[in-house]
Amino acid sequence: MGMTIEGLGKFGVWGHSSAFTPESARELETLGYGTLWLGGSPAAELAEVDPLLAATENLSIGTSVVNIWSAPAEQVAESFHRIEAKFPGRFVLGVGAGHPEHTDVYRKPYDALVDYLDELDGAGVPQQRRALAALGPRVLELARDRTAGALPYLTTAEHTRQAREILGVDALLVAEHKVLLDTDPERARATARPRVEFYLNLKNYVSNLKRLGFSDEDVAFPGSDRLIDALALHGTADQVADSLVAHLAAGADQVAIQVVSADSLADLRALAPALAERI
């Protein structure tokens, strides 16, 4: 059974794999969110996935992403087949190469991704049920050619537009974006900056942001106000919804919303009707 892009919905929720409960998954499905994306490099067993799918009816679950260095492809494939047998068509396996700064064995990430996808092929994980964390042109092309599509992280609608050009019309494109419902810009930046500045020490993210037109000053730790405002949308529910829809207009199939405020569920409840009006 192939994954259908339509089945994922226009808006998903991105959170650490430990952040979701069966109860919150049920509520988020009821609110109209189509997919939960599990971040934080879930372990190869993917034990978090089954309870969330069991608690919901049509919600999709994806990983964003399984780290190829810490989760062996053979074990991940076994987990995929276990989930697929129980919940056909509702799971998307997102994989990625992580960050060179965070592992001693990180070398030639592109080649390692190719090898990992080869292993998934050998273990029978369908191309159309997996996706790739991708920012730069070369990995976006790999996502297009060897998976259902791309899961870019920490980007803007301009990146989405450029990524769609590389991916072509058929590939999946899910853009993650951080948000918080706060109409006080200084307070919103103070909340968001700790969730963004971490990535300004990571070369692949900094390179991508500079390709998008941010200056050396913008990307210098801890990030300029201009950068924080672009990467962590804030304001009223309507203002944030308008900015998220820009990804869809630029070619995204779905926006994966990561709420960075203290009560993410409250913000997602408030956002849901504003998003529904814009689909």
Side-chain angles (χ1 to χ4, degrees):
M1 181 176 178
M3 181 184 67
T4 63
I5 289 171
E6 295 79 13
L8 297 179
K10 293 295 185 186
F11 297 101
V13 178
W14 194 103
H16 193 277
S17 58
S18 64
F20 300 107
T21 65
E23 294 72 26
S24 67
R26 267 198 302 272
E27 179 173 358
L28 290 167
E29 180 178 39
T30 302
L31 288 169
Y33 296 101
T35 310
L36 303 186
W37 294 98
L38 311 185
S41 299
E45 292 73 21
L46 299 177
E48 309 93 332
V49 175
D50 306 67
L52 302 177
L53 289 173
T56 54
E57 293 184 16
N58 300 301
L59 192 73
S60 296
I61 304 290
T63 51
S64 181
V65 290
V66 166
N67 188 316
I68 65 168
W69 306 111
S70 60
E74 184 178 357
Q75 290 179 34
V76 170
E78 289 175 5
S79 299
F80 173 88
H81 290 303
R82 178 196 78 234
I83 297 164
E84 178 65 13
K86 287 197 279 187
F87 307 101
R90 293 177 60 197
F91 176 65
V92 183
L93 175 63
V95 302
H99 317 303
E101 293 83 355
H102 290 168
T103 173
D104 295 331
V105 299
Y106 191 103
R107 60 187 183 278
K108 294 188 178 175
Y110 182 90
D111 294 341
L113 281 170
V114 170
D115 291 344
Y116 200 90
L117 294 173
D118 288 345
E119 288 191 65
L120 292 179
D121 282 345
V125 176
Q127 178 170 319
Q128 286 305 309
R129 300 295 304 288
R130 63 198 194 202
L132 205 56
L135 288 175
R138 195 173 182 217
V139 182
L140 285 166
E141 290 171 355
L142 183 65
R144 176 194 67 203
D145 295 340
R146 297 290 307 276
T147 77
L151 309 173
Y153 186 91
L154 200 75
T155 66
T156 64
E158 173 57 24
H159 181 271
T160 297
R161 186 189 64 76
Q162 295 176 16
R164 176 52 73 195
E165 289 182 2
I166 293 169
L167 290 168
V169 295
D170 295 327
L172 177 70
L173 177 53
V174 178
E176 178 271 348
H177 213 124
K178 295 168 179 55
V179 308
L180 67 162
L181 299 189
D182 191 335
T183 55
D184 181 326
E186 291 195 9
R187 187 174 60 204
R189 291 175 192 131
T191 302
R193 188 168 264 112
R195 301 290 288 272
V196 173
E197 64 186 12
F198 164 81
Y199 298 98
L200 301 182
N201 292 317
L202 302 175
K203 185 171 61 177
N204 56 332
Y205 288 103
V206 170
S207 298
N208 187 58
L209 292 168
K210 289 173 76 171
R211 276 197 300 267
L212 294 173
F214 292 101
S215 67
D216 289 337
E217 291 75 23
D218 286 326
V219 300
F221 190 89
S224 70
D225 286 352
R226 172 178 177 246
L227 182 76
I228 301 301
D229 289 349
L231 298 179
L233 305 170
H234 52 82
T236 66
D238 281 323
Q239 288 168 334
V240 169
D242 283 340
S243 296
L244 290 172
V245 168
H247 280 286
L248 301 179
D253 296 296
Q254 186 190 74
V255 188
I257 301 166
Q258 181 179 175
V259 180
V260 298
S261 54
D263 190 345
S264 60
L265 200 50
D267 277 10
L268 289 164
R269 288 180 189 126
L271 261 177
L275 295 171
E277 289 175 0
R278 288 160 174 79
I279 295 177

